[in-house]
Amino acid sequence: MISLSKNSKRYILLYLLGIVSIFTAKGQTVSFYALTKKMHNGITSSSVTGGQFITFLDNICYESNKKGIGVGHGTLKLNKNYSNSNYKFYMGGSYWGTDATFKFKSDLSILNVILENGDIYVYKRQVAPASATTCSLIRKRGSSSGNSGSYSPSFPNNGYDGGYVPNKNGSSSSSRIQNTTPSRKQPTKHTCSLCNGQRKIVKDTYPSLYGQSDYQVKCNECGGYFMRSIGHTHTTCPQCHGKGYFTTN
């Protein structure tokens, strides 16, 4: 049996850890998404700041720092039933709660964060500013990961470093903004903007016919006629989760 010195064992251990790190990082990509606008109650505002690092690994994504280490918000999984050639839907845990919907363009260049109350935050993928090292939206320490409610954006929370908040002259800083809580009002009901209150949306699945003939079929829900190759169907709306509306306080 070959006897190894302590230094030899240490070098072998470091080598093995390096190999494991390479295989762990394989297929992982980290992108920075800058917030460009938000939509609340049908009103669009471009007076927004901040950005999120998002790491993609196989069929999941999660908010992370620039090195791909998660910030503790959970993960979102690709929903193949809602996704198509134009959009990719990821659903799961994020800064906004445990039931968030991330709607990406198929090339992952644009991200719409769709909240249950109908609010939409629009992000665009771009090169991260030099000062940005982690997400500008990070849940406060002590916030329960099991809370399914939505979170109002706040920039960066105490206890987390490296948040990016551009100021009005275009330069960036790591300053922190105090989050304020609005006074509670009576809930107001709004029709879902995605399904227009119909509770379902049209989804084309484009199934393979495996050489069988293509012909028109009638949809039992909308009464329209569509080719079998389109795979026309109606699915539960991912924005209002089949309610047809959302409420705001």
Side-chain angles (χ1 to χ4, degrees):
M1 180 178 294
I2 300 175
S3 178
L4 299 175
S5 65
K6 288 185 178 180
N7 285 337
S8 297
K9 291 179 180 179
R10 184 176 64 180
Y11 290 140
I12 292 174
L13 178 59
L14 291 175
Y15 175 78
L16 292 176
L17 288 175
I19 295 296
V20 170
S21 298
I22 292 173
F23 280 99
T24 301
K26 186 178 181 181
Q28 174 179 296
T29 59
V30 181
S31 297
F32 178 77
Y33 289 83
L35 183 62
T36 60
K37 62 183 176 181
K38 64 179 179 180
M39 287 170 272
H40 175 67
N41 290 346
I43 300 175
T44 301
S45 172
S46 298
S47 299
V48 294
T49 58
Q52 302 292 89
F53 284 98
I54 298 180
T55 296
F56 297 87
L57 180 61
D58 294 329
N59 287 331
I60 67 170
C61 70
Y62 55 91
E63 292 150 302
S64 68
N65 63 18
K66 68 177 184 179
K67 295 182 179 180
I69 300 174
V71 294
H73 294 164
T75 60
L76 300 97
K77 186 176 181 180
L78 177 67
N79 189 314
K80 296 182 179 180
N81 291 327
Y82 292 139
S83 302
N84 53 39
S85 58
N86 297 316
Y87 299 103
K88 292 182 178 180
F89 284 83
Y90 287 79
M91 298 178 180
S94 74
Y95 168 82
W96 290 271
T98 59
D99 196 21
T101 297
F102 281 17
K103 177 183 178 182
F104 292 92
K105 284 191 65 175
S106 58
D107 62 358
L108 303 179
S109 62
I110 302 293
L111 162 62
N112 284 1
V113 177
I114 304 173
L115 306 188
E116 191 172 0
N117 66 0
D119 288 356
I120 300 176
Y121 293 84
V122 181
Y123 288 82
K124 184 176 182 180
R125 185 178 62 194
Q126 59 183 238
V127 176
S131 60
T133 60
T134 190
C135 297
S136 58
L137 295 180
I138 295 181
R139 207 179 290 163
K140 289 182 179 180
R141 292 186 186 274
S143 295
S144 172
S145 61
N147 184 359
S148 61
S150 299
Y151 290 81
S152 297
S154 61
F155 299 91
N157 298 295
N158 292 332
Y160 296 86
D161 296 324
Y164 162 71
V165 181
N167 50 37
K168 291 183 178 180
N169 61 15
S171 61
S172 60
S173 70
S174 59
S175 60
R176 309 191 190 284
I177 298 176
Q178 183 70 29
N179 184 32
T180 57
T181 303
S183 57
R184 184 175 296 276
K185 299 179 181 179
Q186 291 294 327
T188 303
K189 184 181 290 188
H190 305 273
T191 300
C192 176
S193 58
L194 184 61
C195 67
N196 294 320
Q198 300 301 309
R199 301 184 179 183
K200 291 186 176 183
I201 61 172
V202 173
K203 178 177 176 61
D204 298 331
T205 59
Y206 299 99
S208 175
L209 299 181
Y210 299 102
Q212 299 182 20
S213 60
D214 194 10
Y215 54 86
Q216 283 191 336
V217 292
K218 182 179 180 180
C219 175
N220 293 328
E221 292 204 37
C222 65
Y225 287 86
F226 305 89
M227 299 303 293
R228 285 183 61 210
S229 57
I230 294 178
H232 172 88
T233 185
H234 296 253
T235 62
T236 301
C237 177
Q239 179 167 295
C240 66
H241 304 284
K243 293 190 297 185
Y245 66 90
F246 62 92
T247 57
T248 57
N249 294 328

